[in-house]
Structure formats: C-alpha cells, structure tokens
C-alpha cells in the first residue's frame, strides 16, 4: 500500500487523456499533473531542449512526493524516458511501449500507421519498438504538426479541426488497418480521425493502454492506494493559463478541478 | 529485447493454466516450466517446507537462464513470493495480486469468495490483499484440499470430481457474486465449479490475470522476445512421471510437448 499520488507529466493538456482513463480504471488513486502548456508543443523542438524541459517536469513531480511518474507525452517518452527511468528510484512509465505492443496485437494485416509529433516521428521510436517486437510488420509514420495546437487552443471540435485532420491523414487511408495515436493529445481528435480513416481502422490510444499498465505496475511494486471511502484529491498544475487549462480539462474529464499556475 | 525464456514454477500441473493463457496472449515467448508433482500438493505442508521447495524450483529455473520467474502457484506465492522477488535481480511475478485486484473490479456486491489450498487459505493472504485494496469488501475463504489431487491424478473431468466440487462448494452458493480460483490447478475444474456456483457468479482465474501482467512487465522491463518466424522452443520438467505430466499437459494445452524428469 502506498497512498501517495501518481505523477503525470505532459507538454500540455494531452496527458489528460491518460488521466481520464486512469480515473475510470482506478478511481481511488490520487493524481498530480503538470502540463507545460507555456512551452507546448514539444514536437518541433530540438531533442536537447525537450530533455531539459522533461527533467524540469520530473523534478517538479518529485517535490510533490509522487510514488510513480507517468510520461503522458510521447515526445518526452521518445527523448528521455529511458534516461529518467534509469535514474529515479520510483517506477517511471512511458506511453510508447504499451501503444506499440497493443498495435501489434490489434493488426491483422501487419500494416500499422503511427501518428505523432515531428519529434516522435523523427525519432522513429514507434517503428523501432514495433519492428523489434515484430520484424515483419510494416510501419507507416506520419507527423501531424498541426494537431497539438488545435487541441491546446481548444479548437479540437471545430470545422478547422475536421479540415486539418482530413488533409493530414488522407494519404494514409486504405493502407493500414491499425493506427497508433502516438501523441496523448490526439484522442481528443479521435472522432474526427476515425471518421477520416474509416470505421474499420482500429485506433490505438497510447494513453488508454498506458492506464492499464499503470494498474499492473501498482500491483507489481505493491504501491496501490487503498480504497477508502474518501474522495481522492487531485492537483493540476500548468505553466500557462490555469483558466484555459481548466476549460479543456473540465470538458474532457467531466468534473470540476482546481488548477494552479506554476513557474518551472 | 531479451530472447531468453520465461520460467514458470508450480507444485505440479496447475501452472499449465497460466502457460496456456500466456501461449495464447504471447505466442512467441519461450517457456521453461518446472512442476514439482512428486511433492504435490504443497497446500497441506508446513510453510517452512514450502519455502524450501520453492527455493529449489527457483534455483532450477535460474540455472536455465530465464529472464523472469512466474510463481504459477498460489501456495508458493503466499509463502515465498515477496522473499524471492526481493532477492533475485530478474522480475518475479506472483499470482495473488493480479487475482485479488481483478476480483475487486469484478464484484458488484462487494462479497467475494476465495478458493485455495489449505496453506493459501490459512495464510489469509487473499483476504489481506483484497481488504488492503478495498477495506469494505467481505471475503469468504474456503479451503478445497481435495481439488489438487483430482487434477494431479487426471480425474478432473470425472463424476467423482463433480461430487467433490459440489460437496465442497455448496455452502458458498448464493453468498458471493465473485469467486477467485486461488489455485492454478482449479481452472481445470472450472466448468464443474461454474455449474455448482451458478452462471451468474464471476470466476476469476488468477493464472489468466497473471498472463496479462506478464505482458505488461515484459514491456516495462523491455525484455520482450522478438516475434521472428521461428517456432518457440518450450521445455517442461517434472519431478514425477513425465508420461503422466505429458498426458495432462497435452490435453490442456492442445499441443504436443516434450517433458523431462528432473531430480531437485
């Protein structure tokens, strides 16, 4: 038993898609979330800068006495997960391996698409992990640099979003049977993405897969929160505007939350 | 990537229920299995003896260069899992926490039954783990000392099995909505158990739950086997008769296997 919170980090609001799934699966766990919206998107930045920012988020979470850290950000996972995991003495979970291995299980044709930020796609980490597990799988990777700004600006249900998603993804249509949403922001665009790619394409939500893994690791390391009758206390922090963060978060999570501004 | 095999230990053939589920979920992983049928059942033995036997099984698996050890035996998990996990430098997974946490998720009434060997029930470990996670849950534990001998003697589909299961479980009927099969031998009796308890009772197969956890831990520790086109090589060892082991194993796994006798 360990009643300390689980720490989540993301470049902005995308990690909330992991949080929503965690709240559904493990409603008694407490959460500390830090979103670096002031410096989002991370995708186009150089790796060294992403590494530096990620360490700042990690150090912030460590000061909050978390029992586990979840990299709810594919870009940060691609650049810094292995390094951070090796250095901390608490479990550190990334979103890429859970998504990669679920995609392999889901694909019947052996043709998988991966959507991600410029950095995630440039790192080629999904292809590397998928083909290490399953060498015969074909991976088609597609950078979607316009998706995160749509979500961060709360325009993810707009007609602009439909246009951008259609133009970005039309080349992929028909060539794969499974697509990894390799950025935690993308599940907010899921209905539009599904519509463009067609109902017969399986979308893998790297964040939702990750929530299941959190549950298993809490068991393995014996650090579950006990299920008392108390309401869990969650803490959300953003490096940008708390009001903007709260608007997206409350809409996505379907509950009222408190958000504080923080300077890293 | 780590192409070494996963090691499984059990007091006998019960752990094959975990192996079957693993082969289904991760068909490219290789398995080394040791079943201590010569000294089964472990359930009625004193804890110190079970600890000693378990360490012998662990040491045997270590000589086979396994990358992970799965305690596919609730009795060994109850007695020695935490100790072995702390001492080895490879991941060691037990069957109890995956089963306990799945049972909590499955139960709507908050009334859970646990079936196990004399030692597992006497250790009270399922009640302890379930109530640590969920203090308000009521746990009714029932030792089923006649079940393992039915399975080890390959009589698990006999009319004797039906009679024994009915007499053992009838007191439990109607008082719980979820029942943990807290011994990896019991899934072989599953159709009979389900029939006695009624179709509306959810049976939790601790071994099947454990197979899912193996997959997550392989990802977390980055020790998956690559999915090459090669057929995986499995090795089964028993301390008793290879012929008797093979008969049950081939029936349960639905494939031909090689079994060797080993003296510990």
């Amino acid at each position: 038993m360990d009643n300390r919170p689980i720490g989540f980090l993301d470049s902005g609001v995308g990690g909330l898609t992991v949080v929503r799934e965690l709240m559904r699966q493990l409603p008694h766990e407490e959460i500390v979330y830090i979103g670096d919206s002031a410096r989002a998107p991370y995708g186009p930045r150089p790796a060294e800068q992403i590494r530096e920012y990620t360490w700042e988020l990690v150090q912030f979470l460590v000061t909050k006495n978390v029992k586990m850290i979840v990299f709810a950000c594919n870009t940060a996972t691609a650049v810094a997960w292995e390094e951070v995991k090796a250095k901390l003495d608490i479990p550190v979970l990334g979103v890429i391996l859970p998504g990669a291995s679920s995609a392999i299980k889901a694909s019947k044709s052996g043709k998988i698409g991966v959507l991600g930020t410029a950095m995630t796609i440039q790192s080629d980490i999904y292809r590397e992990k998928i083909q290490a597990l399953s060498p015969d799988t074909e991976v088609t990777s597609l950078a979607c640099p316009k998706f995160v700004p749509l979500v961060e600006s709360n325009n993810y249900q707009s007609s602009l979003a439909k246009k951008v998603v259609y133009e970005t993804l039309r080349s992929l249509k028909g060539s794969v049977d499974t697509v990894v949403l390799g950025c935690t922001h993308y599940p907010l665009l899921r209905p539009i993405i599904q519509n463009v790619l067609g109902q017969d394409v399986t979308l893998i939500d790297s964040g939702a897969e990750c929530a299941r893994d959190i549950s298993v690791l809490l068991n393995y390391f014996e650090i579950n929160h006990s299920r008392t009758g108390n309401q869990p206390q969650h803490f959300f922090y953003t490096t940008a505007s708390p009001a903007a963060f709260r608007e997206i978060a409350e809409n996505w999570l379907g509950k009222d939350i408190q958000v504080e501004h923080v300077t890293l």
Side-chain angles (χ1 to χ4, degrees), chain A residues 38-39 52 76 89 101 103 105-106 118 130 171 201 226-227 238 256 264:
Chain A
R39 301 188 289 199
E52 184 193 319
D89 58 2
S101 93
K105 281 183 202 153
I130 288 172
S171 68
V201 167
S226 61
R227 296 182 191 225
T238 175
D256 294 346
L264 295 177

Side-chain angles (χ1 to χ4, degrees), chain A residues 151-199:
Chain A
V151 173
E152 288 286 329
S153 64
N154 204 4
N155 282 310
Y156 59 92
Q157 293 164 316
S158 64
S159 58
L160 173 65
K162 286 179 193 161
K163 186 167 172 289
V164 166
V165 171
Y166 174 73
E167 285 174 1
T168 309
L169 300 187
R170 64 180 166 178
S171 68
L172 199 61
K173 193 173 172 170
S175 63
V176 294
D177 72 346
T178 302
V179 170
V180 180
L181 304 181
C183 170
T184 53
H185 285 72
Y186 298 177
L188 287 97
L189 294 161
R190 183 176 188 136
I192 302 178
I193 294 171
Q194 187 84 65
N195 203 37
V196 169
L197 293 176
Q199 298 304 319

Side-chain angles (χ1 to χ4, degrees), chain A residues 102-142:
Chain A
S102 296
I104 293 167
K105 281 183 202 153
S107 178
K108 293 188 174 64
S109 69
K111 293 179 182 172
I112 295 175
V114 175
L115 313 182
T117 66
M119 174 53 77
T120 300
I121 298 305
Q122 186 192 319
S123 77
D124 218 22
I125 190 166
Y126 269 103
R127 184 197 310 276
E128 184 191 307
K129 299 297 183 190
I130 288 172
Q131 293 186 338
L133 289 166
S134 179
D136 296 335
T137 300
E138 285 177 34
V139 178
T140 307
S141 301
L142 195 61

Side-chain angles (χ1 to χ4, degrees), chain A residues 9 28 33 76 136 210 235:
Chain A
L9 65 84
H28 50 288
Y33 184 102
D136 296 335
C210 171
F235 296 91

